């Protein structure tokens, strides 16, 4: 089963983000604005175990603010993102921690 691990931040300008996504992203209705920590991967582990592994990786992470900068991506293909400014280091720490976990036998697609 394919899975991803995502952050769903709360944005003060969610309407503005949705208007941009509506014009560019054909999948904007399928998933709300998010930050991908682990891109789609295939793994046989249970949902409960995946949740536990994710929670263990987050134990030492305090709350942090995220500031997003300029829009980037493949606009024709619908892959867009806002570059992370503030909070980038924290996201990288979480990302690296999840990817280091040997129990998550990821097969990226």
């Amino acid at each position: 089963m394919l899975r991803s691990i995502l952050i769903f931040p709360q944005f003060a300008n969610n309407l503005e983000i949705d208007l941009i996504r509506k014009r560019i992203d054909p999948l904007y209705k399928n998933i709300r604005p998010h930050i991908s920590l682990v891109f789609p991967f295939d793994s046989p582990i249970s949902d409960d175990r995946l949740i536990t592994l994710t929670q263990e990786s987050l134990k030492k992470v305090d709350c942090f603010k995220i500031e997003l900068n300029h829009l980037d991506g493949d606009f024709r293909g619908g892959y867009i993102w806002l570059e992370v400014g503030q909070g980038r280091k924290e996201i990288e720490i979480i990302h690296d921690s999840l990817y280091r976990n040997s129990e998550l036998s990821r097969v990226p697609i």
Side-chain angles (χ1 to χ4, degrees):
M1 170 189 296
L2 289 178
R3 290 116 176 245
S4 295
I5 300 175
L6 312 170
I7 295 176
F8 293 100
Q10 295 178 358
F11 297 107
N13 59 343
N14 219 25
L15 182 59
E16 187 177 337
I17 292 169
D18 284 341
L19 289 173
I20 293 168
R21 292 181 72 215
K22 186 176 182 178
R23 285 185 295 151
I24 298 170
D25 184 0
L27 300 176
Y28 84 98
K29 285 186 176 181
N30 297 343
I31 189 166
R32 66 185 194 256
H34 61 279
I35 297 173
S36 298
L37 293 173
V38 178
F39 290 93
F41 64 96
D42 189 17
S43 175
I45 64 174
S46 70
D47 290 346
D48 288 339
R49 184 64 187 148
L50 181 58
I51 290 167
T52 299
L53 292 170
T54 303
Q55 288 172 334
E56 288 173 2
S57 293
L58 296 173
K59 277 184 181 176
K60 295 181 181 179
V61 177
D62 291 326
C63 291
F64 60 96
K65 292 188 180 204
I66 296 173
E67 178 182 290
L68 302 174
N69 299 323
H70 73 278
L71 186 64
D72 203 350
D74 173 8
F75 299 98
R76 285 189 225 147
Y79 293 99
I80 60 171
W81 59 87
L82 292 166
E83 182 180 280
V84 177
Q86 181 180 355
R88 181 181 184 101
K89 179 180 174 186
E90 291 85 348
I91 290 171
E92 287 175 352
I93 290 168
I94 296 167
H95 170 272
D96 292 349
S97 173
L98 289 165
Y99 270 93
R100 273 195 306 271
N101 192 315
S102 61
E103 197 170 341
L104 292 175
S105 56
R106 290 177 285 283
V107 181
I109 58 169

